[in-house]
Amino acid sequence: MCELGDEIKQTRKTKVSYVMLALRLVLGRYHWTNATVTVDGETHHYKKVWIASALNGRYIGGGIKIAPDQNRLSETLCCIVWHDTGRFGTLLRLPSLLWGGHVKMKKKCDVFFGRDITVEFERPCAIQLDGEVISGVTRYRARK
């Protein structure tokens, strides 16, 4: 989403609606990937990953409460992995990201806390790091 948002900002003078952008991506343009997530040496494998974020804080994108239980002053990072939902299921659950309700979907959203997080994607993806979009990433690591 961050990559497409930056594309829109460069080509248009209007403000980007991230809600509309998310709907557009879920309904067709986004292609999920498989991922391997390692948190403090414990490895987990996922299919159909929509989100695999490592965060120091609770919020992303100007107010989306993606990691509601994270404390930026703690000694750990939070890793959120939203996986194994199709387009329709994701569309229905998308609003829950705004207030952090997605973490209650225990079969579709895993939450980890750790000091060393590595995410490896099956294909190149775009990630956002401190507001900057980086394209073509197949692996990233976050440590605290």
Side-chain angles (χ1 to χ4, degrees), residues 44-136:
H44 308 270
H45 302 281
Y46 294 98
K47 295 181 187 262
K48 292 173 71 172
V49 172
W50 290 93
I51 297 171
S53 295
L55 305 109
N56 191 42
R58 290 182 183 164
Y59 298 93
I60 62 169
I64 297 171
K65 198 173 194 178
I66 194 149
D69 297 323
Q70 174 61 355
N71 178 349
R72 65 183 182 84
L73 301 176
S74 76
E75 294 184 12
T76 60
L77 298 167
C78 181
C79 182
I80 302 290
V81 184
W82 186 342
H83 57 92
D84 292 318
T85 57
R87 292 188 190 284
F88 184 70
T90 301
L91 186 61
L92 290 176
R93 294 170 179 93
L94 203 57
S96 68
L97 284 172
L98 297 174
W99 65 85
H102 60 288
V103 298
K104 293 179 181 165
M105 300 180 294
K106 302 293 183 193
K107 291 183 179 178
K108 304 297 181 185
C109 184
D110 288 343
V111 180
F112 302 102
F113 293 92
R115 296 180 64 112
D116 189 0
I117 299 169
T118 302
V119 177
E120 296 179 66
F121 300 110
E122 188 175 75
R123 64 173 179 77
C125 297
I127 66 168
Q128 191 173 32
L129 180 64
D130 289 335
E132 297 296 321
V133 177
I134 304 168
S135 299

Side-chain angles (χ1 to χ4, degrees), residues 4-20:
L4 184 56
D6 278 2
E7 287 175 21
I8 291 170
K9 285 179 191 175
Q10 290 175 357
T11 59
R12 299 183 194 157
K13 302 255 184 214
T14 60
K15 188 175 178 182
V16 175
S17 169
Y18 284 96
V19 172
M20 293 305 294

